[in-house]
C-alpha cells in the first residue's frame, strides 16, 4: 500500500510541474498533508516602482477555498517567465514574497511560464504556520505598463574602440573596413562583475550617446548598426565575444537576434543607457544552444579619471633590448605626493596594454578610487612577452633580473611612488598569475599584497611553486595572498585547488583561495580586479 501511495504522489507531482496542466484542472483538496489550489481567478493590483528600474508586480489569486497574494520583483512592467526565489522583502528582479490565506510563505519557489497570452503559475511552498501548498494558476493576466524613473542602477559601462577587420579563414586574408569602427561595450554590475559585452559596429568617431538604435547580431559584422556575434568552441573549452549573463548566472554568447540601445536623462542629470535584447539565439561554453532575452536598464558610463601613458620604453642593459610598459596615474597626480604602486602582469600572448584595452583597468581603478575603495595609486603594466616572468624561459632572457633590477628602479625614479614593501603590490592573470605567485614567495620583501587570477600553477622547467611555498623561510613575512579561479576554466583549474592546499597546508595563514563559476577569459578577470582593489584598500589608504 505504501508503494502505491508513493507512485501516486510522483504522478501528481509530475502533472503539476508540466506547463500544460489540463489533467489537473479542477483538482483541489488535500493529499498527504499538501493542500492543492487550482486558482481560477486573479487580480492584478497596482505596480510599485522600487527604484533603479525594479518594479513590484502585485497579484492576488483566489478560488472558493482560499487565496494567495504574490509580490514579484521584475525589471519589466509585465510578469516575465522564470523561477522566482523567495525573499522576505522584494527589492530585486527574479524574487517574490507572498502569503496564502493570510500566512506568510516561508519556503519554496514560484515558476512562471507564458504560452501566447496564457500564464502558467505554480509552486510547491510552505507557509509560516507549517502548512504545505501546491498552488497552480492557468489563465491571462493584464498589467498596466508605466514609465520608469531614470535612476542610476549602479551598473556601469565602458567602451573601447578598434578597427573593423574580418579574416577569411580559408585564404587567411584580412579585409579592413575603414568607414566603420568597432565599439566594444562592457557592462558590469555594482560589484564590478561583467554581465554583458557587445561588439557594436557603427560609424567612426561616435560618442557613447551616438550609439543608440537597434542593432542586428550577425557573424562577421562589418556594417553600421550590426553587432558581431559571439562564439563557442566547446572542444577547447573556449567562448567569447558578444554575450550576456542569464538569470542562472551562466554566460550566454549571442549568435542572432537584436539589441536595442536607448538613453534617458537620469534624475541627477546624467545620461543613462539601457540595453534590451530580444529574439536572441544563444550558445554557451558547452555548445548548448537556446534562446533568451535581457533588459539591462539605466547604466552609467564609467569614466576614466586620471591619465594613461602607453608604451614607455626602457633600454634594458640586462636584456640587451628595448622593453615597454604602460602606466596609469590617478586624477590629480602631481609628482609631489608619494603614492603606492601596483604592478599588474599580463597573460601569455598579451602585452603591456592588454590590461588597459581588454581589462578596462584605468576605468575600474579610477572608479574604485572615486568610490573610496582604495586610495590614489599608480598602476604599472609591464610587457613580459612570453617569459613567464622568470629568467631563461624565452631566448635566455633574464626577465626576473630585469624586473627587479631595472623596471622597478626606473618606475621609482620616474614617478613619486613608495620604495618599500608597504607601498608595493602585485597581481596578474594566467601567465601573470604564475608570475604573481612566484614573485610573492621569491621576493616576499617587495610586496604587501598579491592577487593571482586563474594562475598557471605548474610549468615544467620553471620554478616549482609546490616546493617554494612549503619551503619559504619566513611564511609570516609573505604578502597577503589570494588565488581566484573559475571552476569551468579548463586551462588551469585542474591544478589550482592542489596548489591552494599546498600553500594553506604549509602554514601560510594570510592566504585566501576563491573558486567561482567562470572560464579563462577577460569577463572572469574583470570580475577579479575590483576585489583586488578592495583588498588593497587595507594597505593603500
Amino acid at each position: 500500500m505504501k508503494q502505491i501511495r508513493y507512485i501516486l504522489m510522483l504522478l501528481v507531482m509530475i502533472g503539476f510541474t508540466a506547463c500544460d496542466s489540463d489533467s489537473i484542472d479542477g483538482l483541489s483538496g488535500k493529499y498527504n498533508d499538501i493542500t492543492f489550489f487550482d486558482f481560477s481567478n486573479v487580480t492584478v493590483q497596482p505596480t510599485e516602482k522600487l527604484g533603479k528600474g525594479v518594479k513590484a508586480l502585485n497579484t492576488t489569486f483566489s478560488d472558493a477555498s482560499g487565496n494567495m497574494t504574490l509580490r514579484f520583483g521584475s525589471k519589466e512592467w509585465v510578469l516575465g517567465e522564470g523561477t522566482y526565489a523567495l525573499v522576505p522583502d522584494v527589492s530585486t528582479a527574479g524574487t517574490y514574497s507572498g502569503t496564502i490565506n493570510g500566512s506568510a510563505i516561508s519556503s519554496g519557489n514560484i515558476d512562471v511560464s507564458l504560452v501566447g497570452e496564457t500564464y502558467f503559475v505554480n509552486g510547491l511552498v510552505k507557509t509560516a504556520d507549517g502548512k504545505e501548498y501546491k498552488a497552480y494558476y492557468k489563465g491571462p493576466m493584464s498589467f498596466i505598463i508605466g514609465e520608469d524613473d531614470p535612476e542610476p542602477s549602479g551598473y556601469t559601462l565602458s567602451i573601447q574602440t578598434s578597427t573593423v577587420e574580418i579574416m577569411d579563414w580559408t585564404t587567411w586574408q584580412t579585409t579592413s573596413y575603414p568607414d566603420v569602427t568597432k565599439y566594444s561595450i562592457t557592462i558590469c554590475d555594482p560589484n564590478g562583475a561583467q554581465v554583458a559585452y557587445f561588439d557594436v559596429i557603427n560609424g567612426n568617431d561616435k560618442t557613447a550617446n551616438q550609439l543608440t538604435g537597434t542593432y542586428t547580431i550577425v557573424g562577421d559584422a562589418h556594417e553600421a548598426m550590426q553587432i558581431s556575434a559571439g562564439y563557442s568552441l566547446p572542444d577547447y573549452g573556449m567562448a567569447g565575444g558578444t554575450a550576456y549573463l542569464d538569470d542562472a548566472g551562466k554566460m550566454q554568447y549571442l549568435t542572432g537576434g537584436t539589441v536595442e540601445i536607448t538613453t534617458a536623462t537620469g534624475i541627477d542629470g546624467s545620461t543613462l543607457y539601457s540595453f534590451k535584447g530580444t529574439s536572441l539565439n544563444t550558445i554557451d561554453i558547452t555548445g548548448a544552444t537556446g534562446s533568451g532575452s535581457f533588459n539591462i536598464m539605466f547604466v552609467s558610463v564609467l569614466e576614466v579619471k586620471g591619465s594613461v601613458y602607453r608604451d614607455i620604453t626602457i633600454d634594458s642593459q640586462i636584456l640587451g633590448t628595448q622593453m615597454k610598459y604602460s602606466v596609469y596615474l590617478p586624477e590629480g597626480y602631481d609628482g609631489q605626493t608619494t603614492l603606492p604602486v601596483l604592478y599588474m602582469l599580463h597573460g601569455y600572448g598579451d602585452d603591456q596594454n592588454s590590461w588597459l584595452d581588454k581589462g578596462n583597468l584605468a576605468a575600474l581603478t579610477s572608479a574604485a578610487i572615486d568610490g573610496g575603495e582604495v586610495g590614489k595609486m599608480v598602476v604599472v603594466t609591464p610587457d613580459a612577452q612570453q617569459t613567464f616572468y622568470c629568467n631563461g624561459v624565452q631566448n635566455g632572457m633574464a626577465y626576473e633580473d630585469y624586473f627587479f633590477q631595472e623596471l622597478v628602479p626606473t618606475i621609482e625614479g620616474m614617478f613619486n611612488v613608495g620604495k618599500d614593501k608597504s607601498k608595493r603590490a602585485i597581481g596578474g592573470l594566467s601567465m601573470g598569475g604564475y608570475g604573481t605567485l612566484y614573485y610573492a614567495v621569491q621576493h616576499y620583501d617587495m610586496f604587501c599584497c598579491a592577487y593571482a587570477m586563474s594562475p598557471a600553477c605548474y610549468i615544467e622547467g620553471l620554478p616549482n611553486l609546490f616546493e617554494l611555498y612549503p619551503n619559504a623561510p619566513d611564511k609570516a613575512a609573505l604578502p597577503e595572498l589570494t588565488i581566484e579561479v573559475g571552476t569551468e576554466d579548463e586551462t588551469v583549474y585542474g591544478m589550482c585547488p592542489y596548489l591552494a592546499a599546498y600553500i594553506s597546508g604549509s602554514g601560510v595563514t594570510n592566504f585566501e583561495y576563491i573558486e567561482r563559476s567562470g572560464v579563462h577569459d577577460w569577463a572572469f578577470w574583470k570580475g577579479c580586479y575590483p576585489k583586488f582593489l578592495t583588498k588593497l584598500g587595507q594597505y593603500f589608504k
Side-chain angles (χ1 to χ4, degrees), residues 315-338:
D315 290 321
S316 172
Q317 301 302 306
I318 292 174
L319 301 181
T321 188
Q322 198 173 72
M323 298 295 290
K324 294 180 180 179
Y325 69 90
S326 295
V327 64
Y328 164 80
L329 301 177
E331 186 178 31
Y333 175 83
D334 57 8
Q336 302 303 308
T337 303
T338 301

Side-chain angles (χ1 to χ4, degrees), residues 420-451:
D420 60 72
K421 175 175 180 171
S422 66
K423 296 295 184 180
R424 290 194 209 97
I426 191 166
L429 63 90
S430 195
M431 180 184 83
Y434 172 86
T436 297
L437 294 174
Y438 176 50
Y439 287 178
V441 65
Q442 192 74 359
H443 302 273
Y444 59 86
D445 57 333
M446 293 288 290
F447 306 104
C448 63
C449 193
Y451 205 112

Side-chain angles (χ1 to χ4, degrees), residues 52-73:
K52 297 185 177 181
V54 179
K55 279 76 66 177
L57 308 180
N58 300 301
T59 59
T60 299
F61 303 84
S62 61
D63 65 8
S65 56
N67 64 79
M68 174 175 69
T69 63
L70 296 179
R71 179 178 171 88
F72 295 96

